[in-house]
Amino acid sequence: QVQLVELGGGLVQAGGSLRLSCTSSGRSFKSDAMGWFRQAPGKEREFVAVINWSGDSTSYADFVKGRFTISRDNAKNTVYLQMNSLKPEDTAVYYCAADRAPPRVVSGMSEYWGQGTQVTVSS
């Protein structure tokens, strides 16, 4: 059974930092592109970042460029999202996603999703 488990959410003040992690089990993590999405109350889920299977290619949504960094540790079956300079508008539930094809991750069509972790940024 495939599982993606996100950790690391919480409450932080504006300007602060958080690091999210997502650990995969039940499939070959090293073969997957991994991504992060978020969904704020009353809004649609939106793409945040993606990383390819080897970790040498990443892509970000414009609204997080320069503030967030996606990385992965294939030995630990884990993908990370380092979030710096957080803003109140970053408040959302953050989800990780996994798929063999990076375009499917970016488009929100990933085969597998985590349950989400809440990030709340206070002003």
Side-chain angles (χ1 to χ4, degrees):
Q1 182 180 357
V2 178
Q3 278 195 313
L4 301 177
V5 179
E6 300 105 330
L7 294 174
L11 173 64
V12 64
Q13 288 189 333
S17 298
L18 282 175
R19 188 174 83 152
L20 307 182
S21 66
C22 171
T23 300
S24 173
S25 62
R27 62 189 272 112
S28 177
F29 179 79
K30 284 184 269 192
S31 299
D32 278 336
M34 300 294 297
W36 288 96
F37 281 71
R38 69 185 189 185
Q39 187 168 21
K43 295 189 177 181
E44 293 188 354
R45 188 177 298 186
E46 61 183 356
F47 167 77
V48 174
V50 64
I51 189 166
N52 73 335
W53 68 273
S54 63
D56 61 0
S57 178
T58 59
S59 182
Y60 297 90
D62 286 344
F63 54 79
V64 302
K65 282 182 180 176
R67 300 190 298 126
F68 292 10
T69 302
I70 188 171
S71 62
R72 66 190 295 158
D73 184 340
N74 285 349
K76 296 182 179 180
N77 290 355
T78 300
V79 63
Y80 303 97
L81 186 68
Q82 178 66 45
M83 305 186 295
N84 299 328
S85 302
L86 283 161
K87 305 174 182 180
E89 52 264 45
D90 294 318
T91 295
V93 177
Y94 284 71
Y95 299 88
C96 71
D99 201 282
R100 292 287 188 260
R104 288 179 56 86
V105 174
V106 174
S107 66
M109 300 299 291
S110 294
E111 186 172 5
Y112 299 102
W113 293 86
Q115 82 289 348
T117 186
Q118 176 70 48
V119 172
T120 303
V121 185
S122 63
S123 57

